[in-house]
Amino acid sequence: MMTGEAAYRPALGGLIGFLRDRGIDAPVFVCRASYHLGRTSSAVRQAQQGIVDQDRNIFAGPDTDALGAELRHDDFHLDARGQDLFADMLVDSFAAASPAMKASAAG
């Protein structure tokens, strides 16, 4: 993966800004996801983690890099078992963020 943090973070921030500019303040969950052909990118992972900001309704999602090659049908995309595990991890991320989301909604 050739994308560095300096390029990735502003692009991700731009996507979130696009939503916010249109009045969409829904929670955003950012996964740590950089696995590609057996390798991960620390720069991408840092950008993903670095944009998390509960005050801006941006929360940490699952670390899908933890789901290795045995859970990917092409050493990149998750297979059915990997997708099921990801769904479980996502539910856990929602539950962990729930108190902060409620506090933000109460504002």
Side-chain angles (χ1 to χ4, degrees), residues 20-84:
R20 301 302 189 236
D21 289 347
R22 282 150 185 79
I24 301 169
D25 194 37
V28 173
F29 285 81
V30 180
C31 298
R32 268 99 53 227
S34 70
Y35 186 98
H36 182 247
L37 303 176
R39 297 175 49 195
T40 60
S41 168
S42 61
V44 168
R45 290 176 58 81
Q46 286 174 330
Q48 292 164 339
Q49 187 61 41
I51 203 160
V52 170
D53 182 348
Q54 291 185 4
D55 292 337
R56 293 179 47 221
N57 222 12
I58 304 169
F59 301 93
D63 182 354
T64 64
D65 287 349
L67 304 175
E70 69 282 358
L71 296 169
R72 297 168 188 269
H73 63 85
D74 58 0
D75 207 22
F76 184 57
H77 298 98
L78 296 171
D79 63 17
R81 198 169 108 227
Q83 291 171 18
D84 286 343

Tab-separated table of all heavy atoms in Angstrom, residues 20-84:
chain	number	residue	atom	x	y	z
A	20	ARG	N	-20.609	16.408	6.738
A	20	ARG	CA	-20.944	17.455	7.703
A	20	ARG	C	-21.448	18.723	6.995
A	20	ARG	O	-22.381	19.369	7.464
A	20	ARG	CB	-19.751	17.784	8.594
A	20	ARG	CG	-19.207	16.608	9.413
A	20	ARG	CD	-20.252	16.004	10.310
A	20	ARG	NE	-19.660	15.033	11.221
A	20	ARG	CZ	-20.053	13.778	11.326
A	20	ARG	NH1	-21.046	13.321	10.600
A	20	ARG	NH2	-19.476	12.965	12.189
A	21	ASP	N	-20.843	19.052	5.850
A	21	ASP	CA	-21.258	20.235	5.089
A	21	ASP	C	-22.695	20.116	4.590
A	21	ASP	O	-23.340	21.125	4.298
A	21	ASP	CB	-20.338	20.468	3.889
A	21	ASP	CG	-18.958	20.950	4.285
A	21	ASP	OD1	-18.766	21.342	5.458
A	21	ASP	OD2	-18.064	20.917	3.414
A	22	ARG	N	-23.188	18.914	4.502
A	22	ARG	CA	-24.549	18.679	4.044
A	22	ARG	C	-25.516	18.429	5.197
A	22	ARG	O	-26.627	17.953	5.007
A	22	ARG	CB	-24.564	17.527	3.055
A	22	ARG	CG	-24.078	18.007	1.697
A	22	ARG	CD	-23.396	16.945	0.895
A	22	ARG	NE	-22.872	17.528	-0.341
A	22	ARG	CZ	-21.748	18.232	-0.432
A	22	ARG	NH1	-21.023	18.472	0.639
A	22	ARG	NH2	-21.339	18.718	-1.590
A	23	GLY	N	-25.056	18.765	6.398
A	23	GLY	CA	-25.914	18.648	7.571
A	23	GLY	C	-26.048	17.239	8.109
A	23	GLY	O	-26.917	16.972	8.929
A	24	ILE	N	-25.194	16.339	7.664
A	24	ILE	CA	-25.242	14.964	8.147
A	24	ILE	C	-24.272	14.830	9.316
A	24	ILE	O	-23.063	14.806	9.130
A	24	ILE	CB	-24.880	13.965	7.027
A	24	ILE	CG1	-25.849	14.131	5.855
A	24	ILE	CG2	-24.880	12.533	7.560
A	24	ILE	CD1	-25.441	13.394	4.602
A	25	ASP	N	-24.821	14.782	10.519
A	25	ASP	CA	-23.990	14.696	11.715
A	25	ASP	C	-24.055	13.302	12.334
A	25	ASP	O	-23.782	13.126	13.509
A	25	ASP	CB	-24.410	15.757	12.744
A	25	ASP	CG	-23.369	15.917	13.842
A	25	ASP	OD1	-22.160	15.836	13.533
A	25	ASP	OD2	-23.764	16.100	15.005
A	26	ALA	N	-24.432	12.331	11.531
A	26	ALA	CA	-24.498	10.950	12.016
A	26	ALA	C	-23.106	10.508	12.476
A	26	ALA	O	-22.090	10.982	11.949
A	26	ALA	CB	-24.987	10.029	10.909
A	27	PRO	N	-23.055	9.613	13.439
A	27	PRO	CA	-21.751	9.094	13.853
A	27	PRO	C	-21.025	8.439	12.677
A	27	PRO	O	-21.647	7.784	11.835
A	27	PRO	CB	-22.102	8.046	14.910
A	27	PRO	CG	-23.466	8.403	15.376
A	27	PRO	CD	-24.154	9.032	14.201
A	28	VAL	N	-19.730	8.649	12.635
A	28	VAL	CA	-18.870	8.013	11.635
A	28	VAL	C	-17.939	7.076	12.386
A	28	VAL	O	-17.325	7.473	13.381
A	28	VAL	CB	-18.060	9.069	10.850
A	28	VAL	CG1	-17.040	8.417	9.933
A	28	VAL	CG2	-18.988	9.990	10.071
A	29	PHE	N	-17.857	5.852	11.915
A	29	PHE	CA	-16.959	4.869	12.513
A	29	PHE	C	-15.838	4.590	11.528
A	29	PHE	O	-16.087	4.203	10.390
A	29	PHE	CB	-17.711	3.585	12.866
A	29	PHE	CG	-18.559	3.751	14.083
A	29	PHE	CD1	-19.803	4.345	14.003
A	29	PHE	CD2	-18.094	3.336	15.324
A	29	PHE	CE1	-20.580	4.530	15.134
A	29	PHE	CE2	-18.866	3.522	16.461
A	29	PHE	CZ	-20.115	4.113	16.361
A	30	VAL	N	-14.611	4.824	11.980
A	30	VAL	CA	-13.441	4.653	11.129
A	30	VAL	C	-12.712	3.385	11.564
A	30	VAL	O	-12.190	3.307	12.682
A	30	VAL	CB	-12.501	5.876	11.229
A	30	VAL	CG1	-11.285	5.689	10.339
A	30	VAL	CG2	-13.248	7.151	10.863
A	31	CYS	N	-12.710	2.416	10.682
A	31	CYS	CA	-12.011	1.154	10.956
A	31	CYS	C	-10.523	1.340	10.688
A	31	CYS	O	-10.117	2.155	9.870
A	31	CYS	CB	-12.530	0.054	10.035
A	31	CYS	SG	-14.272	-0.312	10.250
A	32	ARG	N	-9.721	0.571	11.393
A	32	ARG	CA	-8.326	0.456	11.008
A	32	ARG	C	-8.307	-0.673	9.991
A	32	ARG	O	-8.524	-1.840	10.319
A	32	ARG	CB	-7.427	0.139	12.203
A	32	ARG	CG	-6.887	1.387	12.850
A	32	ARG	CD	-7.621	1.841	14.066
A	32	ARG	NE	-7.752	0.769	15.061
A	32	ARG	CZ	-8.906	0.502	15.651
A	32	ARG	NH1	-9.978	1.194	15.380
A	32	ARG	NH2	-8.991	-0.449	16.539
A	33	ALA	N	-8.103	-0.300	8.739
A	33	ALA	CA	-8.191	-1.241	7.632
A	33	ALA	C	-7.145	-0.883	6.585
A	33	ALA	O	-7.319	0.070	5.833
A	33	ALA	CB	-9.588	-1.192	7.024
A	34	SER	N	-6.067	-1.628	6.585
A	34	SER	CA	-5.019	-1.376	5.596
A	34	SER	C	-4.455	-2.667	5.019
A	34	SER	O	-3.568	-2.619	4.175
A	34	SER	CB	-3.882	-0.564	6.237
A	34	SER	OG	-3.157	-1.354	7.170
A	35	TYR	N	-4.986	-3.805	5.431
A	35	TYR	CA	-4.454	-5.109	5.009
A	35	TYR	C	-4.574	-5.278	3.503
A	35	TYR	O	-5.647	-5.091	2.921
A	35	TYR	CB	-5.224	-6.224	5.720
A	35	TYR	CG	-4.664	-7.614	5.460
A	35	TYR	CD1	-3.820	-8.214	6.387
A	35	TYR	CD2	-4.987	-8.310	4.315
A	35	TYR	CE1	-3.307	-9.479	6.159
A	35	TYR	CE2	-4.481	-9.573	4.081
A	35	TYR	CZ	-3.639	-10.147	5.005
A	35	TYR	OH	-3.128	-11.396	4.773
A	36	HIS	N	-3.468	-5.651	2.870
A	36	HIS	CA	-3.458	-5.897	1.431
A	36	HIS	C	-2.327	-6.858	1.115
A	36	HIS	O	-1.157	-6.549	1.355
A	36	HIS	CB	-3.274	-4.580	0.674
A	36	HIS	CG	-3.305	-4.732	-0.802
A	36	HIS	ND1	-2.205	-4.519	-1.586
A	36	HIS	CD2	-4.309	-5.088	-1.637
A	36	HIS	CE1	-2.514	-4.724	-2.850
A	36	HIS	NE2	-3.792	-5.076	-2.900
A	37	LEU	N	-2.690	-8.025	0.658
A	37	LEU	CA	-1.715	-9.037	0.250
A	37	LEU	C	-0.693	-9.339	1.347
A	37	LEU	O	0.513	-9.385	1.109
A	37	LEU	CB	-1.029	-8.630	-1.054
A	37	LEU	CG	-1.961	-8.371	-2.232
A	37	LEU	CD1	-1.183	-7.878	-3.439
A	37	LEU	CD2	-2.774	-9.615	-2.574
A	38	GLY	N	-1.207	-9.518	2.550
A	38	GLY	CA	-0.359	-9.933	3.654
A	38	GLY	C	0.390	-8.818	4.359
A	38	GLY	O	1.166	-9.080	5.273
A	39	ARG	N	0.177	-7.589	3.941
A	39	ARG	CA	0.883	-6.464	4.552
A	39	ARG	C	-0.118	-5.433	5.052
A	39	ARG	O	-1.229	-5.333	4.551
A	39	ARG	CB	1.820	-5.810	3.536
A	39	ARG	CG	2.918	-6.753	3.069
A	39	ARG	CD	3.778	-6.182	1.972
A	39	ARG	NE	4.246	-4.840	2.306
A	39	ARG	CZ	4.772	-4.014	1.424
A	39	ARG	NH1	4.884	-4.355	0.169
A	39	ARG	NH2	5.183	-2.809	1.794
A	40	THR	N	0.300	-4.655	6.035
A	40	THR	CA	-0.501	-3.537	6.522
A	40	THR	C	0.338	-2.269	6.420
A	40	THR	O	1.549	-2.320	6.274
A	40	THR	CB	-0.956	-3.752	7.974
A	40	THR	OG1	0.190	-3.882	8.809
A	40	THR	CG2	-1.848	-4.985	8.105
A	41	SER	N	-0.332	-1.131	6.523
A	41	SER	CA	0.350	0.156	6.419
A	41	SER	C	0.215	0.909	7.733
A	41	SER	O	-0.891	1.313	8.110
A	41	SER	CB	-0.265	0.984	5.283
A	41	SER	OG	0.188	2.318	5.356
A	42	SER	N	1.320	1.120	8.410
A	42	SER	CA	1.275	1.877	9.662
A	42	SER	C	0.846	3.324	9.398
A	42	SER	O	0.162	3.928	10.220
A	42	SER	CB	2.619	1.825	10.391
A	42	SER	OG	3.641	2.385	9.595
A	43	ALA	N	1.205	3.888	8.251
A	43	ALA	CA	0.826	5.264	7.931
A	43	ALA	C	-0.691	5.391	7.773
A	43	ALA	O	-1.299	6.328	8.298
A	43	ALA	CB	1.527	5.729	6.657
A	44	VAL	N	-1.303	4.454	7.073
A	44	VAL	CA	-2.750	4.486	6.900
A	44	VAL	C	-3.439	4.257	8.235
A	44	VAL	O	-4.399	4.952	8.586
A	44	VAL	CB	-3.207	3.455	5.840
A	44	VAL	CG1	-4.717	3.273	5.850
A	44	VAL	CG2	-2.725	3.874	4.457
A	45	ARG	N	-2.939	3.306	8.997
A	45	ARG	CA	-3.531	3.032	10.312
A	45	ARG	C	-3.442	4.264	11.221
A	45	ARG	O	-4.387	4.582	11.933
A	45	ARG	CB	-2.851	1.826	10.959
A	45	ARG	CG	-3.185	0.506	10.273
A	45	ARG	CD	-2.412	-0.662	10.865
A	45	ARG	NE	-2.665	-0.821	12.284
A	45	ARG	CZ	-3.738	-1.430	12.785
A	45	ARG	NH1	-4.668	-1.920	11.992
A	45	ARG	NH2	-3.889	-1.543	14.103
A	46	GLN	N	-2.317	4.968	11.189
A	46	GLN	CA	-2.165	6.183	12.004
A	46	GLN	C	-3.161	7.247	11.560
A	46	GLN	O	-3.745	7.944	12.397
A	46	GLN	CB	-0.739	6.715	11.907
A	46	GLN	CG	0.251	5.880	12.677
A	46	GLN	CD	1.688	6.337	12.448
A	46	GLN	OE1	2.033	6.858	11.388
A	46	GLN	NE2	2.524	6.146	13.450
A	47	ALA	N	-3.351	7.390	10.250
A	47	ALA	CA	-4.309	8.375	9.748
A	47	ALA	C	-5.721	8.017	10.181
A	47	ALA	O	-6.489	8.891	10.600
A	47	ALA	CB	-4.223	8.457	8.225
A	48	GLN	N	-6.051	6.739	10.103
A	48	GLN	CA	-7.388	6.293	10.495
A	48	GLN	C	-7.622	6.526	11.982
A	48	GLN	O	-8.673	7.028	12.387
A	48	GLN	CB	-7.576	4.812	10.133
A	48	GLN	CG	-7.628	4.587	8.641
A	48	GLN	CD	-7.422	3.149	8.236
A	48	GLN	OE1	-6.878	2.329	8.975
A	48	GLN	NE2	-7.865	2.824	7.028
A	49	GLN	N	-6.649	6.182	12.796
A	49	GLN	CA	-6.788	6.378	14.238
A	49	GLN	C	-6.752	7.856	14.605
A	49	GLN	O	-7.465	8.298	15.499
A	49	GLN	CB	-5.693	5.620	14.988
A	49	GLN	CG	-5.861	5.620	16.485
A	49	GLN	CD	-7.150	4.953	16.945
A	49	GLN	OE1	-7.555	3.925	16.414
A	49	GLN	NE2	-7.813	5.533	17.925
A	50	GLY	N	-5.937	8.614	13.884
A	50	GLY	CA	-5.751	10.018	14.209
A	50	GLY	C	-6.954	10.899	13.934
A	50	GLY	O	-7.070	11.983	14.503
A	51	ILE	N	-7.843	10.463	13.079
A	51	ILE	CA	-9.015	11.293	12.759
A	51	ILE	C	-10.164	11.060	13.732
A	51	ILE	O	-11.114	11.823	13.782
A	51	ILE	CB	-9.460	11.078	11.298
A	51	ILE	CG1	-10.244	12.285	10.816
A	51	ILE	CG2	-10.225	9.775	11.136
A	51	ILE	CD1	-10.336	12.419	9.329
A	52	VAL	N	-10.059	10.011	14.546
A	52	VAL	CA	-11.106	9.727	15.535
A	52	VAL	C	-11.180	10.891	16.519
A	52	VAL	O	-10.169	11.339	17.051
A	52	VAL	CB	-10.810	8.402	16.278
A	52	VAL	CG1	-11.741	8.204	17.460
A	52	VAL	CG2	-10.912	7.226	15.298
A	53	ASP	N	-12.394	11.394	16.711
A	53	ASP	CA	-12.614	12.539	17.591
A	53	ASP	C	-14.067	12.491	18.066
A	53	ASP	O	-14.977	12.898	17.336
A	53	ASP	CB	-12.327	13.838	16.829
A	53	ASP	CG	-12.489	15.086	17.679
A	53	ASP	OD1	-13.036	15.006	18.803
A	53	ASP	OD2	-12.077	16.161	17.197
A	54	GLN	N	-14.269	11.989	19.262
A	54	GLN	CA	-15.630	11.820	19.767
A	54	GLN	C	-16.394	13.137	19.814
A	54	GLN	O	-17.605	13.154	19.621
A	54	GLN	CB	-15.610	11.161	21.143
A	54	GLN	CG	-15.171	9.719	21.090
A	54	GLN	CD	-15.257	9.037	22.438
A	54	GLN	OE1	-15.713	9.612	23.419
A	54	GLN	NE2	-14.820	7.799	22.491
A	55	ASP	N	-15.702	14.249	20.043
A	55	ASP	CA	-16.374	15.546	20.076
A	55	ASP	C	-16.952	15.920	18.704
A	55	ASP	O	-17.871	16.731	18.625
A	55	ASP	CB	-15.415	16.652	20.542
A	55	ASP	CG	-15.033	16.497	22.004
A	55	ASP	OD1	-15.790	15.854	22.762
A	55	ASP	OD2	-13.967	17.017	22.384
A	56	ARG	N	-16.402	15.328	17.650
A	56	ARG	CA	-16.899	15.569	16.288
A	56	ARG	C	-17.745	14.395	15.788
A	56	ARG	O	-18.053	14.316	14.604
A	56	ARG	CB	-15.722	15.817	15.345
A	56	ARG	CG	-14.994	17.119	15.671
A	56	ARG	CD	-13.797	17.375	14.762
A	56	ARG	NE	-14.109	17.173	13.358
A	56	ARG	CZ	-13.263	16.568	12.504
A	56	ARG	NH1	-12.090	16.112	12.906
A	56	ARG	NH2	-13.602	16.424	11.248
A	57	ASN	N	-18.108	13.495	16.703
A	57	ASN	CA	-18.958	12.350	16.374
A	57	ASN	C	-18.257	11.378	15.421
A	57	ASN	O	-18.887	10.775	14.556
A	57	ASN	CB	-20.296	12.831	15.790
A	57	ASN	CG	-21.474	12.057	16.330
A	57	ASN	OD1	-21.376	11.306	17.289
A	57	ASN	ND2	-22.627	12.238	15.704
A	58	ILE	N	-16.937	11.240	15.600
A	58	ILE	CA	-16.121	10.317	14.801
A	58	ILE	C	-15.502	9.316	15.771
A	58	ILE	O	-14.761	9.706	16.679
A	58	ILE	CB	-15.013	11.058	14.025
A	58	ILE	CG1	-15.618	12.164	13.154
A	58	ILE	CG2	-14.205	10.085	13.181
A	58	ILE	CD1	-14.591	13.113	12.561
A	59	PHE	N	-15.826	8.051	15.578
A	59	PHE	CA	-15.458	7.004	16.537
A	59	PHE	C	-14.580	5.940	15.890
A	59	PHE	O	-14.618	5.748	14.670
A	59	PHE	CB	-16.729	6.347	17.100
A	59	PHE	CG	-17.622	7.323	17.792
A	59	PHE	CD1	-18.652	7.953	17.109
A	59	PHE	CD2	-17.425	7.641	19.123
A	59	PHE	CE1	-19.478	8.865	17.740
A	59	PHE	CE2	-18.240	8.558	19.766
A	59	PHE	CZ	-19.275	9.170	19.072
A	60	ALA	N	-13.835	5.252	16.734
A	60	ALA	CA	-13.010	4.140	16.264
A	60	ALA	C	-13.895	2.946	15.947
A	60	ALA	O	-14.723	2.537	16.752
A	60	ALA	CB	-11.978	3.762	17.323
A	61	GLY	N	-13.715	2.425	14.766
A	61	GLY	CA	-14.371	1.189	14.376
A	61	GLY	C	-13.429	0.023	14.618
A	61	GLY	O	-12.367	0.178	15.233
A	62	PRO	N	-13.788	-1.134	14.129
A	62	PRO	CA	-12.965	-2.323	14.347
A	62	PRO	C	-11.598	-2.238	13.658
A	62	PRO	O	-11.416	-1.503	12.689
A	62	PRO	CB	-13.777	-3.454	13.724
A	62	PRO	CG	-15.137	-2.936	13.518
A	62	PRO	CD	-15.024	-1.447	13.420
A	63	ASP	N	-10.687	-3.032	14.165
A	63	ASP	CA	-9.372	-3.190	13.547
A	63	ASP	C	-9.451	-4.409	12.630
A	63	ASP	O	-9.210	-5.533	13.052
A	63	ASP	CB	-8.305	-3.380	14.631
A	63	ASP	CG	-6.908	-3.505	14.056
A	63	ASP	OD1	-6.756	-3.562	12.817
A	63	ASP	OD2	-5.961	-3.564	14.850
A	64	THR	N	-9.808	-4.179	11.377
A	64	THR	CA	-9.958	-5.312	10.459
A	64	THR	C	-8.615	-5.895	10.034
A	64	THR	O	-8.573	-7.004	9.501
A	64	THR	CB	-10.767	-4.922	9.201
A	64	THR	OG1	-10.056	-3.935	8.461
A	64	THR	CG2	-12.142	-4.415	9.584
A	65	ASP	N	-7.535	-5.177	10.275
A	65	ASP	CA	-6.215	-5.744	9.992
A	65	ASP	C	-5.938	-6.971	10.856
A	65	ASP	O	-5.109	-7.810	10.502
A	65	ASP	CB	-5.113	-4.711	10.209
A	65	ASP	CG	-5.069	-3.651	9.118
A	65	ASP	OD1	-5.743	-3.823	8.080
A	65	ASP	OD2	-4.358	-2.649	9.311
A	66	ALA	N	-6.640	-7.071	11.980
A	66	ALA	CA	-6.477	-8.231	12.858
A	66	ALA	C	-7.056	-9.501	12.235
A	66	ALA	O	-6.766	-10.604	12.700
A	66	ALA	CB	-7.148	-7.960	14.207
A	67	LEU	N	-7.855	-9.338	11.205
A	67	LEU	CA	-8.438	-10.487	10.501
A	67	LEU	C	-7.490	-10.851	9.365
A	67	LEU	O	-7.437	-10.182	8.343
A	67	LEU	CB	-9.836	-10.141	9.983
A	67	LEU	CG	-10.818	-9.656	11.048
A	67	LEU	CD1	-12.131	-9.214	10.411
A	67	LEU	CD2	-11.054	-10.732	12.097
A	68	GLY	N	-6.718	-11.885	9.567
A	68	GLY	CA	-5.626	-12.228	8.667
A	68	GLY	C	-6.027	-12.935	7.393
A	68	GLY	O	-7.211	-13.051	7.036
A	69	ALA	N	-5.030	-13.445	6.698
A	69	ALA	CA	-5.199	-14.069	5.385
A	69	ALA	C	-6.180	-15.235	5.411
A	69	ALA	O	-6.893	-15.467	4.429
A	69	ALA	CB	-3.842	-14.542	4.861
A	70	GLU	N	-6.247	-15.945	6.522
A	70	GLU	CA	-7.142	-17.109	6.604
A	70	GLU	C	-8.612	-16.707	6.565
A	70	GLU	O	-9.480	-17.560	6.365
A	70	GLU	CB	-6.842	-17.926	7.873
A	70	GLU	CG	-7.197	-17.256	9.183
A	70	GLU	CD	-6.217	-16.186	9.677
A	70	GLU	OE1	-5.177	-15.958	9.019
A	70	GLU	OE2	-6.503	-15.582	10.734
A	71	LEU	N	-8.898	-15.420	6.722
A	71	LEU	CA	-10.278	-14.920	6.693
A	71	LEU	C	-10.545	-14.062	5.454
A	71	LEU	O	-11.525	-13.318	5.406
A	71	LEU	CB	-10.566	-14.118	7.968
A	71	LEU	CG	-10.501	-14.929	9.260
A	71	LEU	CD1	-10.532	-14.017	10.475
A	71	LEU	CD2	-11.649	-15.929	9.303
A	72	ARG	N	-9.687	-14.197	4.461
A	72	ARG	CA	-9.810	-13.407	3.234
A	72	ARG	C	-9.755	-14.352	2.033
A	72	ARG	O	-8.899	-15.214	1.959
A	72	ARG	CB	-8.693	-12.371	3.163
A	72	ARG	CG	-8.795	-11.367	4.322
A	72	ARG	CD	-7.547	-10.510	4.451
A	72	ARG	NE	-7.600	-9.724	5.662
A	72	ARG	CZ	-8.113	-8.498	5.749
A	72	ARG	NH1	-8.605	-7.914	4.677
A	72	ARG	NH2	-8.125	-7.861	6.907
A	73	HIS	N	-10.670	-14.157	1.109
A	73	HIS	CA	-10.729	-15.089	-0.026
A	73	HIS	C	-9.684	-14.793	-1.093
A	73	HIS	O	-9.380	-15.644	-1.912
A	73	HIS	CB	-12.141	-15.135	-0.632
A	73	HIS	CG	-12.609	-13.845	-1.216
A	73	HIS	ND1	-12.303	-13.449	-2.498
A	73	HIS	CD2	-13.366	-12.855	-0.699
A	73	HIS	CE1	-12.855	-12.274	-2.739
A	73	HIS	NE2	-13.498	-11.887	-1.656
A	74	ASP	N	-9.101	-13.612	-1.067
A	74	ASP	CA	-8.105	-13.245	-2.070
A	74	ASP	C	-6.905	-12.533	-1.440
A	74	ASP	O	-6.205	-11.804	-2.121
A	74	ASP	CB	-8.748	-12.366	-3.137
A	74	ASP	CG	-9.373	-11.101	-2.556
A	74	ASP	OD1	-9.302	-10.895	-1.320
A	74	ASP	OD2	-9.941	-10.306	-3.335
A	75	ASP	N	-6.712	-12.756	-0.143
A	75	ASP	CA	-5.660	-12.089	0.641
A	75	ASP	C	-5.860	-10.570	0.660
A	75	ASP	O	-4.919	-9.813	0.821
A	75	ASP	CB	-4.264	-12.451	0.142
A	75	ASP	CG	-3.214	-12.352	1.253
A	75	ASP	OD1	-3.591	-12.419	2.445
A	75	ASP	OD2	-2.020	-12.204	0.934
A	76	PHE	N	-7.120	-10.155	0.491
A	76	PHE	CA	-7.467	-8.736	0.556
A	76	PHE	C	-8.872	-8.575	1.130
A	76	PHE	O	-9.047	-8.019	2.191
A	76	PHE	CB	-7.354	-8.107	-0.839
A	76	PHE	CG	-7.602	-6.633	-0.867
A	76	PHE	CD1	-6.858	-5.757	-0.096
A	76	PHE	CD2	-8.579	-6.108	-1.690
A	76	PHE	CE1	-7.097	-4.380	-0.124
A	76	PHE	CE2	-8.813	-4.737	-1.738
A	76	PHE	CZ	-8.076	-3.879	-0.959
A	77	HIS	N	-9.886	-9.068	0.433
A	77	HIS	CA	-11.285	-8.929	0.855
A	77	HIS	C	-11.681	-10.061	1.802
A	77	HIS	O	-11.273	-11.207	1.612
A	77	HIS	CB	-12.211	-8.948	-0.363
A	77	HIS	CG	-11.943	-7.816	-1.299
A	77	HIS	ND1	-11.168	-7.956	-2.419
A	77	HIS	CD2	-12.328	-6.522	-1.253
A	77	HIS	CE1	-11.091	-6.792	-3.044
A	77	HIS	NE2	-11.782	-5.901	-2.354
A	78	LEU	N	-12.501	-9.722	2.795
A	78	LEU	CA	-12.937	-10.709	3.778
A	78	LEU	C	-13.851	-11.747	3.139
A	78	LEU	O	-14.708	-11.416	2.320
A	78	LEU	CB	-13.673	-10.021	4.932
A	78	LEU	CG	-12.831	-9.065	5.770
A	78	LEU	CD1	-13.713	-8.286	6.737
A	78	LEU	CD2	-11.735	-9.807	6.513
A	79	ASP	N	-13.666	-13.012	3.555
A	79	ASP	CA	-14.579	-14.065	3.131
A	79	ASP	C	-15.801	-14.050	4.056
A	79	ASP	O	-15.914	-13.168	4.926
A	79	ASP	CB	-13.877	-15.429	3.117
A	79	ASP	CG	-13.382	-15.899	4.486
A	79	ASP	OD1	-13.819	-15.362	5.533
A	79	ASP	OD2	-12.552	-16.833	4.511
A	80	ALA	N	-16.718	-14.980	3.882
A	80	ALA	CA	-17.966	-14.976	4.661
A	80	ALA	C	-17.686	-15.041	6.163
A	80	ALA	O	-18.312	-14.316	6.950
A	80	ALA	CB	-18.862	-16.131	4.222
A	81	ARG	N	-16.760	-15.881	6.573
A	81	ARG	CA	-16.433	-15.974	8.000
A	81	ARG	C	-15.819	-14.668	8.506
A	81	ARG	O	-16.149	-14.186	9.586
A	81	ARG	CB	-15.495	-17.155	8.248
A	81	ARG	CG	-15.462	-17.584	9.699
A	81	ARG	CD	-14.739	-18.906	9.867
A	81	ARG	NE	-13.462	-18.615	10.491
A	81	ARG	CZ	-12.285	-19.074	10.107
A	81	ARG	NH1	-12.196	-19.886	9.092
A	81	ARG	NH2	-11.196	-18.749	10.743
A	82	GLY	N	-14.946	-14.081	7.709
A	82	GLY	CA	-14.344	-12.795	8.076
A	82	GLY	C	-15.382	-11.687	8.166
A	82	GLY	O	-15.325	-10.834	9.049
A	83	GLN	N	-16.354	-11.701	7.260
A	83	GLN	CA	-17.424	-10.706	7.291
A	83	GLN	C	-18.275	-10.866	8.546
A	83	GLN	O	-18.677	-9.862	9.151
A	83	GLN	CB	-18.292	-10.823	6.041
A	83	GLN	CG	-17.571	-10.401	4.781
A	83	GLN	CD	-18.353	-10.729	3.531
A	83	GLN	OE1	-19.558	-10.974	3.561
A	83	GLN	NE2	-17.673	-10.749	2.392
A	84	ASP	N	-18.541	-12.106	8.935
A	84	ASP	CA	-19.298	-12.341	10.170
A	84	ASP	C	-18.536	-11.818	11.387
A	84	ASP	O	-19.116	-11.177	12.272
A	84	ASP	CB	-19.600	-13.827	10.357
A	84	ASP	CG	-20.682	-14.341	9.432
A	84	ASP	OD1	-21.441	-13.519	8.853
A	84	ASP	OD2	-20.773	-15.582	9.265
